[in-house]
Amino acid sequence: MGLMNKLVEVFPTRPLKVMKLKQEGSLHQIRRIFAVILLFALTIFMALKIYPGLIDDYKISRNPIVVDYDVKGTCRAKSMIDNCSVKITTDTGQVIKRDYVFLNGAKKNYEVVTVASADDPSLVTIDLAIDNMRTLFIATTVLILLLMLVTCMILVCFLRTRKMIKVINEISEQKLTPVIVPVKLVSYGKTITALYRANNAQDVSVKYAANFNKESDGGPIIIGDKIRNKCNVLAVVGESNSVPILLDQEFMRCDFTYNEMQALKEALS
C-alpha cells in the first residue's frame, strides 16, 4: 500500500481545528513589520546622512583649489570606521560644519588641508574626504542595497505568511485531506521557512510561506529524500480552499488526539 493510501486510511474524518504555529503568531508578525520599518528608516537615514556630502565632495573634486582655512574637528574610531565632525572657518569668518565617514579606522590625528570648488567657492571640504570619496560611495551603496534586500525579504515573508494565515482561518473546523507538497526550505537561526506555490480560490498560482520553530515544531514533515533545500512535505487541504497548510513534526498544526497522532506516525514510519 502506498504512503498516501496509508495516511488517508488513518487520517481523522472528523472536522479538525487548524492553528497557527509559534513562528506564525501575531507577535512574530508584529516583529517582522517592526523590523521592516526599522530597516527602512535606517536605510533612509544612511542615505540622507552620507550621500549629500558625497555629492558636494564630487562637485568640489571636478575643479578643486586649495584654500587656507582653519580646520578643527574630532574623530571617533570604531572597528574600521572613523566618524569625524569638522568645523571649517573661512577667511570671511563663515563657519562650515561637515560630518565625514572614513573607512580606515585609524586612531591617529589627521593632517588635512581645506579644498574648495573653483566653480562654487561656497562648497568647501577637506582633501581626505575627496581621497576617500569613491570608497565611501561604493561601501555605502553596497550596504544600502543589502539593507533593502533584507527589508524586502522580511516583507515578502510577512505577506506570504499572512496569506497562509487567512487560509488557516478559512479551513479550520472543516474535514481535512492529507496531501504532499513540494517546498523549498530556508533555515536561519531557530526558524525553518518552507516556501511553496498553490492555486488560490481564483485558480491563480500564488507563493505561500510556512514558518516552523526548530525547538517547538521540529520543522515540516519531510516525505522522501531532501535534495539540497528542496523536498516534499506533508500538508492538509480543507473542503472550501485548495491551498495546502503544512503540518509540523509535532502534529501541533491541528487538534489531533493522542491516538490520531500515533496512527499518523506509524503510517509515516
Side-chain angles (χ1 to χ4, degrees):
M1 184 184 295
L3 177 61
M4 280 306 302
N5 290 334
K6 291 181 181 179
L7 289 170
V8 170
E9 190 175 88
V10 300
F11 203 83
T13 56
R14 64 183 178 87
L16 292 169
K17 183 178 180 181
V18 185
M19 293 164 285
K20 294 178 288 187
L21 301 178
K22 182 178 180 180
Q23 296 292 332
E24 300 161 352
S26 299
L27 179 60
H28 286 274
Q29 288 293 82
I30 292 171
R31 285 178 179 175
R32 291 186 183 102
I33 285 296
F34 180 76
V36 167
I37 295 172
L38 183 64
L39 289 172
F40 182 74
L42 179 60
T43 302
I44 297 298
F45 173 77
M46 286 185 58
L48 293 178
K49 181 178 176 60
I50 297 176
Y51 281 137
L54 282 173
I55 293 172
D56 287 345
D57 291 341
Y58 173 73
K59 291 178 180 179
I60 295 170
S61 69
R62 296 183 67 181
N63 193 6
I65 55 172
V66 176
V67 289
D68 187 17
Y69 293 160
D70 180 60
V71 182
K72 293 181 180 178
T74 57
C75 293
R76 298 189 307 274
K78 187 175 182 180
S79 299
M80 294 299 294
I81 299 175
D82 277 5
N83 288 289
C84 299
S85 297
V86 175
K87 183 170 70 174
I88 303 171
T89 305
T90 68
D91 53 3
T92 61
Q94 180 188 4
V95 176
I96 300 172
K97 294 182 179 180
R98 289 283 306 272
D99 293 323
Y100 300 99
V101 178
F102 303 126
L103 303 178
N104 53 17
K107 296 181 179 180
K108 64 180 182 179
N109 293 323
Y110 291 110
E111 294 182 4
V112 298
V113 296
T114 50
V115 182
S117 170
D119 302 319
D120 184 358
S122 66
L123 297 177
V124 181
T125 189
I126 56 178
D127 60 328
L128 190 60
I130 292 179
D131 293 340
N132 287 272
M133 178 178 61
R134 182 172 296 179
T135 302
L136 180 59
F137 173 77
I138 294 173
T140 301
T141 302
V142 169
L143 183 56
I144 285 177
L145 289 175
L146 287 174
L147 286 172
M148 290 175 62
L149 176 62
V150 173
T151 303
C152 290
M153 290 174 63
I154 296 174
L155 182 60
V156 167
C157 181
F158 168 82
L159 294 174
R160 289 177 179 174
T161 303
R162 188 173 177 83
K163 287 186 292 186
M164 192 201 64
I165 291 172
K166 182 180 178 182
V167 176
I168 288 175
N169 294 332
E170 289 178 358
I171 69 172
S172 187
E173 305 293 351
Q174 294 182 4
K175 292 182 179 180
L176 306 177
T177 304
V179 293
I180 293 177
V181 180
V183 302
K184 177 181 178 181
L185 298 180
V186 180
S187 179
Y188 53 95
K190 296 180 180 180
T191 303
I192 300 174
T193 299
L195 305 173
Y196 61 103
R197 281 187 171 274
N199 290 345
N200 60 16
Q202 290 73 40
D203 201 30
V204 177
S205 180
V206 178
K207 290 183 179 180
Y208 293 85
N211 299 293
F212 301 85
N213 184 288
K214 292 180 182 178
E215 295 180 353
S216 60
D217 312 319
I221 301 172
I222 298 176
I223 306 297
D225 297 327
K226 177 182 176 182
I227 302 175
R228 293 184 181 180
N229 58 347
K230 295 182 179 181
C231 60
N232 293 322
V233 301
L234 183 61
V236 292
V237 294
E239 296 174 303
S240 63
N241 198 312
S242 61
V243 175
I245 298 299
L246 310 189
L247 296 181
D248 61 295
Q249 292 179 8
E250 299 300 322
F251 290 95
M252 301 303 294
R253 174 69 80 187
C254 303
D255 60 339
F256 296 113
T257 65
Y258 176 79
N259 290 336
E260 289 168 346
M261 289 185 192
Q262 292 302 113
L264 288 170
K265 289 178 180 179
E266 289 178 10
L268 289 167
S269 62

Short mmCIF file of all heavy atoms in Angstrom, two decimals, residues 22-73:
data_model
loop_
_atom_site.label_atom_id
_atom_site.label_comp_id
_atom_site.label_asym_id
_atom_site.label_seq_id
_atom_site.Cartn_x
_atom_site.Cartn_y
_atom_site.Cartn_z
N LYS A 22 4.02 28.64 16.37
CA LYS A 22 4.66 29.70 17.15
C LYS A 22 5.21 30.82 16.27
O LYS A 22 5.01 32.00 16.55
CB LYS A 22 5.78 29.10 18.01
CG LYS A 22 6.48 30.11 18.92
CD LYS A 22 7.53 29.43 19.77
CE LYS A 22 8.23 30.43 20.66
NZ LYS A 22 9.27 29.77 21.50
N GLN A 23 5.92 30.45 15.18
CA GLN A 23 6.55 31.45 14.32
C GLN A 23 5.55 32.19 13.44
O GLN A 23 5.92 33.13 12.74
CB GLN A 23 7.61 30.77 13.44
CG GLN A 23 8.78 30.18 14.22
CD GLN A 23 9.65 31.24 14.86
OE1 GLN A 23 9.75 32.35 14.38
NE2 GLN A 23 10.29 30.89 15.96
N GLU A 24 4.30 31.76 13.46
CA GLU A 24 3.28 32.39 12.64
C GLU A 24 2.30 33.22 13.46
O GLU A 24 1.35 33.78 12.92
CB GLU A 24 2.50 31.32 11.86
CG GLU A 24 3.38 30.50 10.94
CD GLU A 24 2.76 29.19 10.53
OE1 GLU A 24 1.69 28.82 11.07
OE2 GLU A 24 3.33 28.51 9.67
N GLY A 25 2.55 33.30 14.76
CA GLY A 25 1.66 34.02 15.66
C GLY A 25 1.71 35.52 15.45
O GLY A 25 2.57 36.07 14.76
N SER A 26 0.78 36.22 16.08
CA SER A 26 0.68 37.68 15.93
C SER A 26 1.94 38.39 16.39
O SER A 26 2.37 39.37 15.77
CB SER A 26 -0.52 38.19 16.74
OG SER A 26 -1.73 37.61 16.27
N LEU A 27 2.56 37.90 17.46
CA LEU A 27 3.77 38.54 17.99
C LEU A 27 4.89 38.53 16.96
O LEU A 27 5.56 39.55 16.75
CB LEU A 27 4.23 37.84 19.28
CG LEU A 27 5.50 38.40 19.92
CD1 LEU A 27 5.32 39.86 20.28
CD2 LEU A 27 5.89 37.58 21.15
N HIS A 28 5.08 37.39 16.29
CA HIS A 28 6.14 37.29 15.29
C HIS A 28 5.82 38.13 14.06
O HIS A 28 6.72 38.70 13.44
CB HIS A 28 6.37 35.83 14.90
CG HIS A 28 7.09 35.04 15.94
ND1 HIS A 28 8.46 34.99 16.03
CD2 HIS A 28 6.62 34.27 16.96
CE1 HIS A 28 8.81 34.23 17.05
NE2 HIS A 28 7.72 33.78 17.63
N GLN A 29 4.54 38.21 13.70
CA GLN A 29 4.16 39.06 12.57
C GLN A 29 4.41 40.54 12.89
O GLN A 29 4.88 41.30 12.04
CB GLN A 29 2.69 38.83 12.22
CG GLN A 29 2.40 37.49 11.55
CD GLN A 29 3.01 37.39 10.16
OE1 GLN A 29 4.19 37.10 10.00
NE2 GLN A 29 2.21 37.64 9.15
N ILE A 30 4.12 40.93 14.13
CA ILE A 30 4.39 42.32 14.55
C ILE A 30 5.89 42.59 14.53
O ILE A 30 6.34 43.67 14.12
CB ILE A 30 3.81 42.58 15.96
CG1 ILE A 30 2.28 42.55 15.90
CG2 ILE A 30 4.30 43.91 16.52
CD1 ILE A 30 1.61 42.60 17.26
N ARG A 31 6.68 41.62 14.96
CA ARG A 31 8.14 41.78 14.94
C ARG A 31 8.66 41.97 13.52
O ARG A 31 9.57 42.76 13.28
CB ARG A 31 8.81 40.55 15.57
CG ARG A 31 8.70 40.48 17.08
CD ARG A 31 9.35 39.22 17.61
NE ARG A 31 9.29 39.15 19.06
CZ ARG A 31 9.69 38.09 19.77
NH1 ARG A 31 10.17 37.02 19.14
NH2 ARG A 31 9.60 38.11 21.08
N ARG A 32 8.08 41.23 12.58
CA ARG A 32 8.52 41.37 11.19
C ARG A 32 8.21 42.77 10.65
O ARG A 32 9.04 43.38 9.98
CB ARG A 32 7.85 40.30 10.32
CG ARG A 32 8.36 38.88 10.61
CD ARG A 32 7.79 37.86 9.65
NE ARG A 32 8.25 36.53 10.00
CZ ARG A 32 7.53 35.62 10.64
NH1 ARG A 32 6.28 35.89 10.96
NH2 ARG A 32 8.02 34.43 10.94
N ILE A 33 7.02 43.27 10.95
CA ILE A 33 6.66 44.62 10.50
C ILE A 33 7.57 45.65 11.15
O ILE A 33 8.03 46.61 10.51
CB ILE A 33 5.18 44.91 10.81
CG1 ILE A 33 4.30 44.17 9.81
CG2 ILE A 33 4.88 46.40 10.73
CD1 ILE A 33 4.47 44.64 8.37
N PHE A 34 7.84 45.48 12.45
CA PHE A 34 8.72 46.41 13.16
C PHE A 34 10.12 46.39 12.54
O PHE A 34 10.76 47.44 12.38
CB PHE A 34 8.79 46.03 14.64
CG PHE A 34 9.67 46.94 15.45
CD1 PHE A 34 9.24 48.20 15.83
CD2 PHE A 34 10.95 46.52 15.84
CE1 PHE A 34 10.06 49.04 16.57
CE2 PHE A 34 11.77 47.35 16.57
CZ PHE A 34 11.32 48.62 16.95
N ALA A 35 10.60 45.18 12.18
CA ALA A 35 11.92 45.06 11.56
C ALA A 35 11.96 45.74 10.20
O ALA A 35 12.95 46.41 9.85
CB ALA A 35 12.30 43.58 11.41
N VAL A 36 10.87 45.61 9.43
CA VAL A 36 10.79 46.28 8.12
C VAL A 36 10.86 47.79 8.29
O VAL A 36 11.61 48.48 7.59
CB VAL A 36 9.49 45.88 7.39
CG1 VAL A 36 9.24 46.78 6.19
CG2 VAL A 36 9.57 44.43 6.93
N ILE A 37 10.08 48.32 9.25
CA ILE A 37 10.07 49.77 9.48
C ILE A 37 11.44 50.25 9.95
O ILE A 37 11.95 51.28 9.48
CB ILE A 37 8.98 50.14 10.52
CG1 ILE A 37 7.60 49.82 9.95
CG2 ILE A 37 9.08 51.60 10.92
CD1 ILE A 37 6.48 49.96 10.97
N LEU A 38 12.06 49.49 10.86
CA LEU A 38 13.37 49.88 11.40
C LEU A 38 14.44 49.88 10.32
O LEU A 38 15.24 50.83 10.21
CB LEU A 38 13.75 48.93 12.54
CG LEU A 38 15.07 49.24 13.27
CD1 LEU A 38 14.97 50.59 13.97
CD2 LEU A 38 15.39 48.14 14.27
N LEU A 39 14.48 48.82 9.52
CA LEU A 39 15.49 48.73 8.46
C LEU A 39 15.27 49.79 7.39
O LEU A 39 16.23 50.36 6.86
CB LEU A 39 15.46 47.33 7.84
CG LEU A 39 15.99 46.20 8.72
CD1 LEU A 39 15.74 44.85 8.06
CD2 LEU A 39 17.48 46.37 8.98
N PHE A 40 14.01 50.06 7.06
CA PHE A 40 13.72 51.08 6.07
C PHE A 40 14.16 52.47 6.58
O PHE A 40 14.76 53.25 5.84
CB PHE A 40 12.22 51.10 5.75
CG PHE A 40 11.83 52.11 4.70
CD1 PHE A 40 12.12 51.88 3.37
CD2 PHE A 40 11.19 53.28 5.05
CE1 PHE A 40 11.77 52.80 2.39
CE2 PHE A 40 10.83 54.21 4.09
CZ PHE A 40 11.13 53.98 2.76
N ALA A 41 13.88 52.74 7.86
CA ALA A 41 14.28 54.02 8.45
C ALA A 41 15.80 54.15 8.48
O ALA A 41 16.36 55.22 8.21
CB ALA A 41 13.71 54.15 9.86
N LEU A 42 16.49 53.04 8.81
CA LEU A 42 17.95 53.05 8.84
C LEU A 42 18.53 53.31 7.45
O LEU A 42 19.51 54.05 7.29
CB LEU A 42 18.47 51.72 9.38
CG LEU A 42 19.99 51.54 9.46
CD1 LEU A 42 20.60 52.61 10.36
CD2 LEU A 42 20.34 50.14 9.96
N THR A 43 17.92 52.71 6.43
CA THR A 43 18.37 52.92 5.05
C THR A 43 18.22 54.39 4.64
O THR A 43 19.15 54.97 4.07
CB THR A 43 17.55 52.03 4.10
OG1 THR A 43 17.70 50.66 4.48
CG2 THR A 43 18.03 52.19 2.66
N ILE A 44 17.07 54.98 4.94
CA ILE A 44 16.84 56.39 4.61
C ILE A 44 17.81 57.28 5.37
O ILE A 44 18.38 58.24 4.81
CB ILE A 44 15.38 56.79 4.93
CG1 ILE A 44 14.41 55.99 4.05
CG2 ILE A 44 15.18 58.29 4.73
CD1 ILE A 44 14.58 56.23 2.57
N PHE A 45 18.03 56.97 6.64
CA PHE A 45 18.94 57.77 7.47
C PHE A 45 20.35 57.75 6.89
O PHE A 45 21.01 58.80 6.78
CB PHE A 45 18.95 57.22 8.90
CG PHE A 45 19.99 57.87 9.78
CD1 PHE A 45 19.78 59.13 10.31
CD2 PHE A 45 21.17 57.20 10.08
CE1 PHE A 45 20.75 59.73 11.12
CE2 PHE A 45 22.14 57.78 10.88
CZ PHE A 45 21.93 59.05 11.40
N MET A 46 20.84 56.55 6.52
CA MET A 46 22.18 56.45 5.94
C MET A 46 22.30 57.23 4.64
O MET A 46 23.28 57.93 4.41
CB MET A 46 22.53 54.98 5.69
CG MET A 46 22.86 54.19 6.92
SD MET A 46 23.39 52.53 6.50
CE MET A 46 24.79 52.86 5.44
N ALA A 47 21.29 57.10 3.80
CA ALA A 47 21.32 57.80 2.51
C ALA A 47 21.34 59.32 2.69
O ALA A 47 22.12 60.02 2.04
CB ALA A 47 20.12 57.38 1.67
N LEU A 48 20.50 59.82 3.61
CA LEU A 48 20.43 61.27 3.83
C LEU A 48 21.66 61.81 4.55
O LEU A 48 22.04 62.97 4.38
CB LEU A 48 19.17 61.62 4.63
CG LEU A 48 17.84 61.37 3.92
CD1 LEU A 48 16.68 61.70 4.83
CD2 LEU A 48 17.75 62.19 2.63
N LYS A 49 22.29 60.94 5.35
CA LYS A 49 23.47 61.38 6.11
C LYS A 49 24.73 61.42 5.25
O LYS A 49 25.58 62.30 5.40
CB LYS A 49 23.69 60.45 7.31
CG LYS A 49 24.89 60.84 8.19
CD LYS A 49 25.01 59.92 9.37
CE LYS A 49 26.25 60.23 10.20
NZ LYS A 49 26.26 61.61 10.74
N ILE A 50 24.86 60.48 4.32
CA ILE A 50 26.13 60.32 3.60
C ILE A 50 26.09 60.88 2.18
O ILE A 50 27.02 61.57 1.74
CB ILE A 50 26.55 58.84 3.59
CG1 ILE A 50 26.80 58.37 5.03
CG2 ILE A 50 27.80 58.63 2.73
CD1 ILE A 50 27.14 56.91 5.17
N TYR A 51 25.02 60.62 1.43
CA TYR A 51 25.01 60.99 0.01
C TYR A 51 25.10 62.50 -0.26
O TYR A 51 25.82 62.91 -1.17
CB TYR A 51 23.78 60.41 -0.68
CG TYR A 51 23.92 58.95 -1.04
CD1 TYR A 51 22.89 58.05 -0.83
CD2 TYR A 51 25.11 58.45 -1.59
CE1 TYR A 51 23.02 56.70 -1.15
CE2 TYR A 51 25.25 57.12 -1.91
CZ TYR A 51 24.21 56.24 -1.68
OH TYR A 51 24.34 54.91 -2.01
N PRO A 52 24.39 63.37 0.48
CA PRO A 52 24.53 64.82 0.20
C PRO A 52 25.97 65.31 0.31
O PRO A 52 26.43 66.09 -0.53
CB PRO A 52 23.63 65.46 1.28
CG PRO A 52 22.60 64.42 1.57
CD PRO A 52 23.34 63.13 1.50
N GLY A 53 26.71 64.85 1.34
CA GLY A 53 28.11 65.23 1.48
C GLY A 53 28.96 64.69 0.34
O GLY A 53 29.87 65.38 -0.15
N LEU A 54 28.66 63.47 -0.10
CA LEU A 54 29.41 62.89 -1.22
C LEU A 54 29.16 63.67 -2.51
O LEU A 54 30.09 63.85 -3.31
CB LEU A 54 28.99 61.43 -1.41
CG LEU A 54 29.60 60.41 -0.44
CD1 LEU A 54 28.97 59.03 -0.66
CD2 LEU A 54 31.11 60.33 -0.61
N ILE A 55 27.93 64.14 -2.68
CA ILE A 55 27.62 64.93 -3.88
C ILE A 55 28.42 66.23 -3.88
O ILE A 55 28.99 66.64 -4.90
CB ILE A 55 26.11 65.21 -3.96
CG1 ILE A 55 25.35 63.89 -4.22
CG2 ILE A 55 25.80 66.22 -5.06
CD1 ILE A 55 23.85 64.03 -4.12
N ASP A 56 28.48 66.89 -2.71
CA ASP A 56 29.27 68.13 -2.61
C ASP A 56 30.75 67.86 -2.86
O ASP A 56 31.42 68.63 -3.57
CB ASP A 56 29.08 68.75 -1.23
CG ASP A 56 27.71 69.39 -1.06
OD1 ASP A 56 27.03 69.60 -2.08
OD2 ASP A 56 27.33 69.67 0.09
N ASP A 57 31.26 66.77 -2.28
CA ASP A 57 32.68 66.44 -2.48
C ASP A 57 32.97 66.14 -3.95
O ASP A 57 34.05 66.49 -4.46
CB ASP A 57 33.06 65.24 -1.60
CG ASP A 57 33.05 65.58 -0.12
OD1 ASP A 57 33.11 66.78 0.21
OD2 ASP A 57 32.97 64.64 0.70
N TYR A 58 32.04 65.49 -4.62
CA TYR A 58 32.23 65.21 -6.04
C TYR A 58 32.29 66.50 -6.85
O TYR A 58 33.13 66.64 -7.75
CB TYR A 58 31.11 64.31 -6.55
CG TYR A 58 31.14 64.09 -8.04
CD1 TYR A 58 32.11 63.28 -8.63
CD2 TYR A 58 30.21 64.72 -8.87
CE1 TYR A 58 32.16 63.10 -10.00
CE2 TYR A 58 30.25 64.55 -10.24
CZ TYR A 58 31.23 63.73 -10.81
OH TYR A 58 31.28 63.56 -12.17
N LYS A 59 31.39 67.44 -6.55
CA LYS A 59 31.40 68.72 -7.26
C LYS A 59 32.72 69.45 -7.04
O LYS A 59 33.27 70.05 -7.98
CB LYS A 59 30.23 69.58 -6.77
CG LYS A 59 28.86 69.08 -7.19
CD LYS A 59 27.76 69.96 -6.62
CE LYS A 59 26.38 69.47 -7.04
NZ LYS A 59 25.30 70.33 -6.45
N ILE A 60 33.22 69.40 -5.81
CA ILE A 60 34.50 70.06 -5.50
C ILE A 60 35.64 69.38 -6.25
O ILE A 60 36.54 70.03 -6.78
CB ILE A 60 34.76 70.05 -3.98
CG1 ILE A 60 33.71 70.89 -3.25
CG2 ILE A 60 36.17 70.57 -3.65
CD1 ILE A 60 33.74 70.75 -1.74
N SER A 61 35.61 68.05 -6.32
CA SER A 61 36.70 67.30 -6.94
C SER A 61 36.83 67.55 -8.43
O SER A 61 37.88 67.32 -9.03
CB SER A 61 36.51 65.80 -6.68
OG SER A 61 35.39 65.29 -7.41
N ARG A 62 35.78 68.04 -9.07
CA ARG A 62 35.82 68.30 -10.51
C ARG A 62 36.68 69.52 -10.85
O ARG A 62 37.26 69.60 -11.93
CB ARG A 62 34.39 68.49 -11.04
CG ARG A 62 33.53 67.24 -10.90
CD ARG A 62 32.16 67.43 -11.49
NE ARG A 62 32.22 67.58 -12.95
CZ ARG A 62 31.17 67.78 -13.73
NH1 ARG A 62 29.97 67.88 -13.17
NH2 ARG A 62 31.28 67.89 -15.03
N ASN A 63 36.77 70.47 -9.92
CA ASN A 63 37.60 71.67 -10.14
C ASN A 63 38.06 72.21 -8.78
O ASN A 63 37.62 73.27 -8.33
CB ASN A 63 36.80 72.73 -10.91
CG ASN A 63 37.69 73.83 -11.45
OD1 ASN A 63 38.92 73.76 -11.35
ND2 ASN A 63 37.08 74.88 -11.99
N PRO A 64 38.97 71.48 -8.12
CA PRO A 64 39.33 71.85 -6.75
C PRO A 64 40.45 72.90 -6.69
O PRO A 64 41.32 72.96 -7.55
CB PRO A 64 39.82 70.52 -6.17
CG PRO A 64 40.40 69.81 -7.34
CD PRO A 64 39.59 70.22 -8.53
N ILE A 65 40.41 73.70 -5.64
CA ILE A 65 41.51 74.62 -5.33
C ILE A 65 41.77 74.54 -3.83
O ILE A 65 40.85 74.41 -3.03
CB ILE A 65 41.17 76.07 -5.73
CG1 ILE A 65 39.86 76.53 -5.09
CG2 ILE A 65 41.13 76.23 -7.24
CD1 ILE A 65 39.56 78.01 -5.28
N VAL A 66 43.03 74.58 -3.47
CA VAL A 66 43.41 74.54 -2.05
C VAL A 66 43.22 75.92 -1.46
O VAL A 66 43.65 76.93 -2.03
CB VAL A 66 44.87 74.07 -1.89
CG1 VAL A 66 45.28 74.13 -0.42
CG2 VAL A 66 45.04 72.66 -2.45
N VAL A 67 42.55 75.98 -0.31
CA VAL A 67 42.32 77.25 0.39
C VAL A 67 42.86 77.13 1.81
O VAL A 67 42.83 76.05 2.41
CB VAL A 67 40.82 77.61 0.40
CG1 VAL A 67 40.34 78.01 -0.99
CG2 VAL A 67 39.98 76.46 0.93
N ASP A 68 43.34 78.24 2.33
CA ASP A 68 43.95 78.25 3.65
C ASP A 68 42.91 78.63 4.70
O ASP A 68 42.87 79.78 5.15
CB ASP A 68 45.14 79.22 3.68
CG ASP A 68 45.92 79.13 4.99
OD1 ASP A 68 45.74 78.11 5.69
OD2 ASP A 68 46.67 80.07 5.32
N TYR A 69 42.06 77.64 5.05
CA TYR A 69 41.04 77.88 6.06
C TYR A 69 41.40 77.12 7.33
O TYR A 69 42.07 76.08 7.30
CB TYR A 69 39.67 77.41 5.57
CG TYR A 69 39.11 78.20 4.41
CD1 TYR A 69 38.11 77.66 3.60
CD2 TYR A 69 39.56 79.48 4.12
CE1 TYR A 69 37.57 78.37 2.54
CE2 TYR A 69 39.03 80.21 3.04
CZ TYR A 69 38.04 79.64 2.26
OH TYR A 69 37.51 80.35 1.21
N ASP A 70 40.92 77.63 8.45
CA ASP A 70 41.15 76.98 9.74
C ASP A 70 40.24 75.76 9.88
O ASP A 70 39.04 75.85 9.57
CB ASP A 70 40.88 77.98 10.88
CG ASP A 70 41.11 77.35 12.24
OD1 ASP A 70 42.24 76.90 12.51
OD2 ASP A 70 40.15 77.28 13.04
N VAL A 71 40.81 74.66 10.33
CA VAL A 71 40.05 73.41 10.47
C VAL A 71 40.19 72.87 11.89
O VAL A 71 41.30 72.75 12.41
CB VAL A 71 40.53 72.33 9.48
CG1 VAL A 71 39.69 71.06 9.62
CG2 VAL A 71 40.48 72.83 8.06
N LYS A 72 39.06 72.58 12.50
CA LYS A 72 39.05 71.94 13.82
C LYS A 72 38.05 70.79 13.76
O LYS A 72 36.98 70.91 13.16
CB LYS A 72 38.65 72.92 14.91
CG LYS A 72 39.66 74.03 15.15
CD LYS A 72 39.19 74.96 16.27
CE LYS A 72 40.21 76.08 16.49
NZ LYS A 72 39.76 77.02 17.54
N GLY A 73 38.40 69.70 14.40
CA GLY A 73 37.49 68.57 14.37
C GLY A 73 37.89 67.45 15.30
O GLY A 73 38.99 67.45 15.86
#
